[in-house]
Amino acid sequence: MSSSEVPHSCFFAGVGGSGMSALALYHARRGGRSGGSDRAFDDGERTAIRAALEAGGVTISPQDGSGVSGHDALVVSTAVEETVPDVRAAREAGLDILHRSELLARFVGGSRAIAVTGTSGKSTTVAMVFAILRAVGLRPGVITGGPLVELQDEGLLGNAWAEPDGDLLVVEADESDGSLVRYHPWCGLVLNLQRDHKEPAEVAEMFRVFGGQTAGPVVAGEDANLDFLGADVRFGFGPSAQVRAEEVDLRPESASFTVDGVRFELPLPGHHNVANALAAATVTREAGVPFSQAADALREYRGVSRRFQVLGTARGVTVIDDFAHNPDKLRAALATARLRADAHDGRVLAFFQPHGYGPTRFLFDDLAAAFAASLPSGDILWLPPIYYVGGTVSRDVEAPDLSRAIREAGADARDLSTRDDLPDAVAEVAGPGDVVMIMGARDPALTGLAADVLSRLSRSCHAGRNPFPTFFSRPAVPLDQRAGRIIRARSPSRRRFARPHPGRRPYRRRPGAGRDRLGATGTR
């Protein structure tokens, strides 16, 4: 078998993971034979993912080596160790063993592929590119890490799709494990370069190799730290961008902008999503889609699971599930939540689960700074223990160390001995207008936690608590104390006050009340 040929029959060890399941489903959709195993399936976990894989044509076997027989190759991720029975069985049988990135590289090489990379925004931009190409009838495939709601609505797992006769393929090209340098796409899109899994200089070198291996156009964001790419097209918001977003309007639940006279209306909020949509429109124009058709497609965009996904509202409190995990993503997610909270005179009540001791140590100072800058007085952050999935690590940093650094920087960070305590903690302090953000990566149980918070809010109503607090619903605070505690002003007639006591809601003033006394003092 040549190094560029895709084996007809592949067995995927750890097939329940987001990257592996996408490859297995895509291979099956393209007419290949896919099988796989996963320790979680053997333990009776992730039953919905197993059912979706089986419905998509993937045969599931126990992870005891028995399923490998009869396949041409074993596909593994970095997390699959040599001691896994499937690996031993494959070696004994003389099968080819491919890293998942090597198989993805073969899919990319056999297609007219658009590969999307960058340290933030990959999954959302991939989903937008796919939505545009699909809407105009170009029959694209997709392989990505974040499940597309558009595909989930069709009863699919959501992270892969293939048209048996289609030549376009949109993929998420990951820089975190260095696999990015394997890919030779038709079109390469580089969104941004920030500090995440590796130092920027190391990632920049991978981007340079990636750009040099791209056969067609290279599209990149306008940031100066991407100038070295010599991209064919730059997109952004400033004068250096060839494709520029103008007349940007950010709203609590949506956003809009104009490109070359075409108005884009997005059904999701956030400046970062404007940047993602601009990138998607730019790269699909290289595939022949005019901006007007891209705008029509994005007007109906359905989103990506766990990317600022609104789960519901209870007691006037909105619960949102988000994948944010590095400092820049956290800033973007919290800024977007702030838009929504400010629209209803609410607070942001955030939960963040750090993932991995290494990443937490690497980003420690940046994480503390991001939270301190994004959570003004009155907002709350809860941190549970660091999410740990196994392996040999140095546990020289813990979540309480991070929460202490955040408190020292001026934000209200609170420790949880277990994340199971979160629903009660939120229900104790949340009130109408507040926005609850559940943030973190890698842990598939976080969405369930967000649902538990929503459920707890929906069935709780504390005795003696006024569910609709107003400025006059609690004992008065002397004017000299109040004036110094104003923390945010959206307009001279509408202000929000810090909590006068721990665990209590901020005092709020009715629109227009007390302007003659307080004026415009103490704005943040």
Side-chain angles (χ1 to χ4, degrees):
M1 183 184 302
S2 72
S3 60
S4 62
E5 183 180 351
V6 176
H8 171 71
S9 181
C10 295
F11 191 86
F12 298 81
V15 73
S18 60
M20 296 286 276
S21 59
L23 290 170
L25 288 167
Y26 179 83
H27 187 52
R29 285 281 309 175
R30 291 286 290 182
R33 178 178 171 228
S34 289
S37 68
D38 198 285
R39 183 169 50 197
F41 297 165
D42 293 349
D43 294 338
E45 302 170 355
R46 302 186 185 183
T47 55
I49 294 176
R50 174 173 182 156
L53 285 167
E54 291 177 327
V58 180
T59 302
I60 303 300
S61 303
Q63 196 170 82
D64 59 5
S66 62
V68 173
S69 176
H71 291 275
D72 301 322
L74 174 70
V75 183
V76 300
S77 69
T78 306
V80 177
E81 300 173 340
E82 284 288 325
T83 55
V84 171
D86 293 337
V87 177
R88 293 200 303 266
R91 293 204 182 283
E92 290 172 1
L95 299 185
D96 288 335
I97 299 179
L98 306 178
H99 188 271
R100 66 172 184 82
S101 63
E102 186 175 350
L103 180 61
L104 178 57
R106 297 186 186 191
F107 288 145
V108 167
S111 307
R112 189 174 174 226
I114 298 173
V116 180
T117 192
T119 47
S120 295
K122 294 185 292 292
S123 295
T124 296
T125 305
V126 164
M128 289 178 168
V129 171
F130 175 75
I132 293 169
L133 296 175
R134 198 184 199 201
V136 300
L138 291 179
R139 300 172 61 80
V142 67
I143 299 173
T144 186
L148 280 61
V149 176
E150 174 181 355
L151 295 177
Q152 289 181 323
D153 287 347
E154 298 174 14
L156 305 172
L157 192 56
N159 56 356
W161 178 257
E163 297 284 353
D165 57 349
D167 68 329
L168 274 171
L169 172 62
V170 188
V171 302
E172 183 175 336
D174 191 8
E175 85 293 342
S176 66
D177 61 358
S179 60
L180 171 69
V181 298
R182 292 182 182 269
Y183 309 134
H184 295 253
W186 163 70
C187 177
L189 171 58
V190 183
L191 297 170
N192 41 51
L193 174 55
Q194 301 151 346
R195 194 166 188 261
D196 189 1
H197 303 279
K198 304 176 185 294
E199 291 293 351
E202 185 178 352
V203 179
E205 176 58 22
M206 287 190 282
F207 286 171
R208 186 192 64 76
V209 173
F210 172 75
Q213 293 173 172
T214 299
V218 175
V219 178
E222 66 180 336
D223 293 343
N225 63 358
L226 294 178
D227 289 348
F228 70 90
L229 286 170
D232 300 288
V233 184
R234 305 292 291 273
F235 66 90
F237 302 88
S240 64
Q242 296 151 285
V243 179
R244 186 164 58 252
E246 300 175 313
E247 301 173 1
V248 177
D249 183 17
L250 303 179
R251 300 181 292 274
E253 299 181 28
S254 59
S256 59
F257 61 97
T258 298
V259 180
D260 288 352
V262 177
R263 192 66 177 167
F264 284 73
E265 295 284 347
L266 303 179
L268 72 168
H271 186 273
H272 60 300
N273 281 320
V274 171
N276 294 335
L278 182 64
T282 303
V283 79
T284 52
R285 187 183 66 168
E286 298 301 310
V289 181
F291 286 143
S292 58
Q293 292 185 15
D296 288 342
L298 291 181
R299 194 174 292 114
E300 304 300 324
Y301 175 68
R302 300 282 292 117
V304 179
S305 178
R306 298 211 67 229
R307 271 55 173 189
F308 210 79
Q309 186 173 20
V310 178
L311 298 190
T313 300
R315 266 179 32 196
V317 181
T318 300
V319 178
I320 296 173
D321 188 23
D322 196 272
F323 190 74
H325 60 281
N326 71 28
D328 290 284
K329 292 174 183 176
L330 291 164
R331 287 176 188 266
L334 291 170
T336 306
R338 167 69 49 214
L339 279 174
R340 193 177 189 114
D342 281 354
H344 302 285
D345 285 327
R347 299 171 298 169
V348 174
L349 306 177
F351 167 92
F352 173 62
Q353 178 175 269
H355 69 278
Y357 290 92
T360 302
R361 185 186 314 108
F362 181 66
L363 296 171
F364 188 93
D365 292 338
D366 297 325
L367 288 170
F371 282 118
S374 302
L375 297 170
S377 181
D379 291 353
I380 301 172
L381 170 68
W382 288 277
L383 291 100
I386 292 173
Y387 180 64
Y388 170 64
V389 294
T392 303
V393 296
S394 175
R395 301 195 184 197
D396 55 355
V397 63
E398 297 287 353
D401 300 322
L402 180 57
S403 64
R404 186 181 309 112
I406 295 168
R407 285 194 298 272
E408 291 173 353
D412 184 353
R414 307 179 184 184
D415 296 313
L416 294 172
S417 59
T418 170
R419 68 183 182 195
D420 293 339
D421 294 336
L422 181 69
D424 285 342
V426 170
E428 179 65 28
V429 301
D434 289 346
V435 174
V436 178
M437 290 290 295
I438 306 298
M439 299 178 294
R442 295 189 180 178
D443 183 358
L446 287 178
T447 296
L449 176 63
D452 289 343
V453 171
L454 183 63
S455 175
R456 178 68 176 83
L457 286 167
S458 66
R459 67 176 193 269
S460 67
C461 185
H462 296 297
R465 176 186 172 94
N466 180 355
F468 301 102
T470 68
F471 181 72
F472 298 103
S473 64
R474 288 182 171 80
V477 175
L479 177 61
D480 59 346
Q481 293 182 30
R482 274 186 255 156
R485 296 175 68 80
I486 301 175
I487 63 171
R488 189 171 182 86
R490 293 197 299 120
S491 71
S493 65
R494 229 173 147 76
R495 309 183 189 285
R496 182 160 59 88
F497 295 83
R499 292 177 293 103
H501 304 290
R504 294 283 296 275
R505 292 276 299 156
Y507 286 105
R508 307 191 194 284
R509 177 139 36 93
R510 292 176 294 110
R515 290 184 60 183
D516 57 328
R517 295 187 297 164
L518 295 180
T521 62
T523 58
R524 180 174 65 86

